[in-house]
Structures are given as C-alpha cells and as structure tokens.
Amino acid sequence: MSTETNTVATYATADELLAAIQPAIGGREILDPATGELVGRAPEHEVADLEAAIAAAHAAQPEWDALGHDARRSLMNQAADAIEANAEALAHLLSREQGKPLNGPNARFEVGGAVAWLRAAAAFGLEAEVIVDDGTTYAEMHYRPFGVVGAIGPWNWPMMISVWQLAPALRMGNTVVMKPSEYTPLSVLALVHVINQVLPEGVLHVVAGGRDVGQLLSTHKDIDKVMFTGSTATGKAIIRSSADTVKRLTLELGGNDAGIVLPDADPKAIAEGLFWGAFINTGQTCAALKRLYVHADIYEEVCGALTEVAKNMPMGVGLDEANVLGPLQNKAQYDIVDSLVRKATDSGARVLLGANPSEDQPGYFYPSTLIADIATDNPLVVEEQFGPVLPIVKFDSIEQAVQLANALDVGLGASVWSSDRDAAREVAARLQAGTVWINSHGGVDPRIPFGGAKTSGYGVEFGVDGLKALGQPQVING
Ligand code: NAD
C-alpha cells in the first residue's frame, strides 16, 4: 500500500459530484425533501454487493493495519484536505438530499464537522499504557484492530455521523463497510468517494442498500464490530442479530433530552441558546432539546423570549442562503411530528407559535412550533418527536423537575440553565443522561466523549475513549 499523496479531483458543483457516484443507468430516485425535485439516483446495492465489500475489506485489513498509526494519520489528514477541497459541492448535495440549509448550523457546518472529526481522530495519541511495573510484574495495555467494522447510519447528519464512525475505525487499523440510511445514500456515497481518492483501495466501502443489507451486516461472521447510530428500535434489533457472533457494538440511539430552567436564569439571555438547542437541524438531532421544564417564577418570560427568537428564524429551501431552518427529511418523519403536535393541541395545550402546517406547498415543511401549558405525560413530551417543535412544561420545585427529566427510559443528553453555575452543576449530577450541558444544549466536540445512558445506547464516541472503542484491548504481561 502506498501512502504517497494522490492527485485529488475537485468537483465544482454537486451535479459534477453526482455524475461521479451515480450508476450509469437506473438506480433509485432520490427526491429533494424541500421541493420534490430529483436530486439524483442511488445505486441499489444488494446482499451480493455487501458480501463483495466485506470480502474486499477483510482482504485489505492486514496491510492497512501494517501501515501503522503514523501513516494512517497522514492519510486521514489528506482525506480531510480532500473534503475541504470539495466542501461546497458536498454541502450543496447534502442540502439537496437531506433538506438542511447551507447556512446556520447546517450543511456547511456539517461538512466542516466531518473535516474536524477526521483530523481529531488522526491527531490523538494512543501509546501502550503500562498498567503494572513493580519489579516483579510488568503489564502493558495495547489496542489492536478488530478487523472489519460495519457502520450503519441515520439520515439526519449523514456525512458527519459517517465520519464519527469511520474515522476512529480507520485510525485503529480496521477497514470499514458503511451502510447509509436509505433516505440519504448520496451524501455518504459522495463523501466516501472523496475520501477514497486518498485511501488505499479496499479499505473503505459503502453499500447503499436497505434494511435487509443492514441486517445482514449485523449478523455477518466477518464483521467484527458494528458502529450503529439510529433509532432505539433498530438498535435492539442489531443487539439481537449480532448475538451469535458476539460482535462488539457501539450504539448511539434515540433520545428525548430534557432541559431544566432554574428560577434564577435570565430568560432573554438564554432564549437563543434554548432555541438552537431544540431547533438545530430543524429539530432532527439526536441530542437536541426535546422537552423543556421551566420554573413557574419565570415561565411566561421564558415562553415569551423563546417565541420572539423562534418566530424570526427563516425556514425554507436549503439552497436559499437566507434560510437557517429546512424541511423534515421525509414524509414518515413529517407524519410523526404532525401527529404528536395534534395530540398536544387536542389536549388543550397552548400554542405559542406554529402548529398549523400549510397544506399547499411542496416539501415536508413543518413550521417552528412552541407549545406551552402541556401535561407532563402528553405524547409530545414523552415521545421523541424529532422535528422543529418544543413542548414547554411548568414546574414548581427542583425535585419535581429532576423527577420529570429522569422519568423516561431514554438518557442521551440533558441541560440545566441558571445564572449560578454551582447550583446548575448540582442539578446536573442528578440527571440520568450521557451528557449534561450547562447553559447550552447539544454541542459536541471531537475531544469530549459522547454516548447515551439507559436505552439511548452504550459505548462512547469521540476523544481517546472513542478511539479505544475501536480497538480490541490486549494485555501483554511479562
Ligand atoms: P433507523 O433506526 O430507522 O435507521 C438507521 C439505520 O439502520 C438505517 O441505515 C437503516 O437502514 C438501518 N436499519 C434498519 N433496520 C435495520 C436492521 N434490522 N438491522 C440493521 N440495520 C437496520 O433510524 P433513523 O430514522 O435513520 O434515524 C433517526 C433516529 O436516530 C432517531 O431516533 C435519533 O435519535 C437517532 N440518532 C441517534 C444519534 C446518537 O448519537 N445517539 C445520532 C443521530 C440519530
């Protein structure tokens, strides 16, 4: 395998990039969720394609491992350069396929995140750790590659989440077979096409199939570890189908993150942070704020300040530079959001903003919606709505707020909002969630481990701990 720098093609537009990844004829039509127009055609890979990809990844793995960390780091940084050189074309394609706008914390931001995570996974040091050295015993901990990693992803952040999965896997000497969501295959195919201009052949594959392909990936004897990001229901199916081969799993599953606003918070100062915590990627984010608990003393002020921010955020077609919110990615998700909001309004909850989607526009646009005076057990509060909607529940005591936040079986993220950091940290320590943010919600960082509690999954991604999760621990004793 050569580590020489290859010449990297740069694509000026999303259409040029599409021409490089689409099948010559046929393929499945992918439509723009904002307009209903054709974005492109995705190859319809089947089980035989998966078998071929796994065999090629398996064959390439020993040589990829033998290259060593420094050579892999160098190639990963070159891959990050290649993404940067194609950033605009990638962002336009992502915007058209996923729906997210170019601007705001959306398509350009996501492509930038893909670069940042790739570089971070390349940069971390991971030396063998001396565990005991007492004169009589000497033991070291090493991390060896598993072999072939299967990566199954969702449709909400298809490029960034693909990199979260592939970057630590590659760095640790594994080869990778990716199975993108059937809703957003083109984004992942394009990203991997760009990365693969740099990587040696056979190391990184994409199989753009449906659920049957995902299922085979999670049962296959030559897949040694599965990185999965998606719904809790699918995560449970993967646990079952991976049991016979005792596969290692990292599961990043669904969430329904709570935010708690303490009575000393300043409503105007926190309103924008609350808004983006909930509405990032038009609410289609695993660790977005999905239910907000506000102390009665400042409840009306928080509702008012949040409404002021939300009503001024432009929503529309992603390629329009003015927009920062887009459509829901697919009809099934639109229907979930619509049905949950109807259940809330039917119950008599107060609509502060939105809740009346227009019937006569193309695209799956659901208006930014804020719902107040809602019962704590309303479906909009207790189920994952995954859209541009936030239910706001009033509480009287911190005890009650903590109990409500912890009442669900999910625990991805949570947040506490207060002018008193120590008071916020005390509440944070009592919340059952993988991450608790203070005075913000949902920000992730490649240096900081991220993962869920309860049914939101297990294992962590990011940071050195994230790298270790892609390695088989091996003790050398003696
Ligand atoms: P999904 O579970 O429907 O699909 C995810 C992937 O799994 C797709 O590629 C799909 O084809 C595949 N799949 C489906 N059935 C399978 C099976 N039986 N075996 C193997 N693979 C199978 O999820 P989605 O709707 O694409 O994504 C939204 C969900 O993902 C939300 O619940 C969200 O909270 C969650 N999510 C979690 C995180 C996190 O980091 N925790 C991040 C993003 C999204």
Side-chain angles (χ1 to χ4, degrees), residues 26-114:
R28 190 166 57 87
E29 291 193 344
I30 302 288
L31 305 183
D32 184 332
T35 62
E37 287 165 12
L38 181 71
V39 178
R41 292 169 291 104
E44 295 184 279
H45 291 149
E46 291 168 0
V47 164
D49 300 296
L50 180 67
E51 289 289 358
I54 294 173
H58 193 67
Q61 194 273 329
E63 230 180 307
W64 177 242
D65 179 24
L67 278 181
H69 280 284
D70 286 345
R72 289 195 296 270
R73 289 169 126 161
S74 160
L75 286 165
M76 288 168 68
N77 278 314
Q78 289 170 43
D81 295 342
I83 297 173
E84 275 180 332
N86 286 284
E88 269 303 285
L90 285 165
H92 277 72
L93 176 57
L94 175 61
S95 177
R96 283 163 58 187
E97 184 183 52
Q98 204 285 335
K100 61 183 69 191
L102 289 171
N103 284 327
N106 293 298
R108 289 185 177 121
F109 169 84
E110 180 168 349
V111 175

Side-chain angles (χ1 to χ4, degrees), residues 65 178 237 292 308 366 374 435 445 466:
D65 179 24
M178 316 223 41
L292 184 62
E308 269 314 299
Y366 198 91
I374 183 166
T435 303
D445 180 317

Side-chain angles (χ1 to χ4, degrees), residues 12 116 128 163 210 223 226 273 283 289 316 453:
V163 171
I223 293 288
V226 171
L289 175 53

Side-chain angles (χ1 to χ4, degrees), residues 147-159:
V148 183
V149 170
I152 305 177
W155 47 258
N156 57 343
W157 293 90
M159 290 189 185

Side-chain angles (χ1 to χ4, degrees), residues 45 49-61 148-151 166 170 175-180 188-189 192-193 196 199-208 217:
H45 291 149
D49 300 296
L50 180 67
E51 289 289 358
I54 294 173
H58 193 67
Q61 194 273 329
V148 183
V149 170
L166 69 85
L170 293 176
T175 51
V176 178
V177 178
M178 316 223 41
K179 209 301 280 175
V188 178
L189 284 158
V192 169
H193 172 77
N196 268 344
L199 297 186
E201 205 168 325
V203 167
L204 175 61
H205 304 259
V206 187
V207 181
L217 193 70

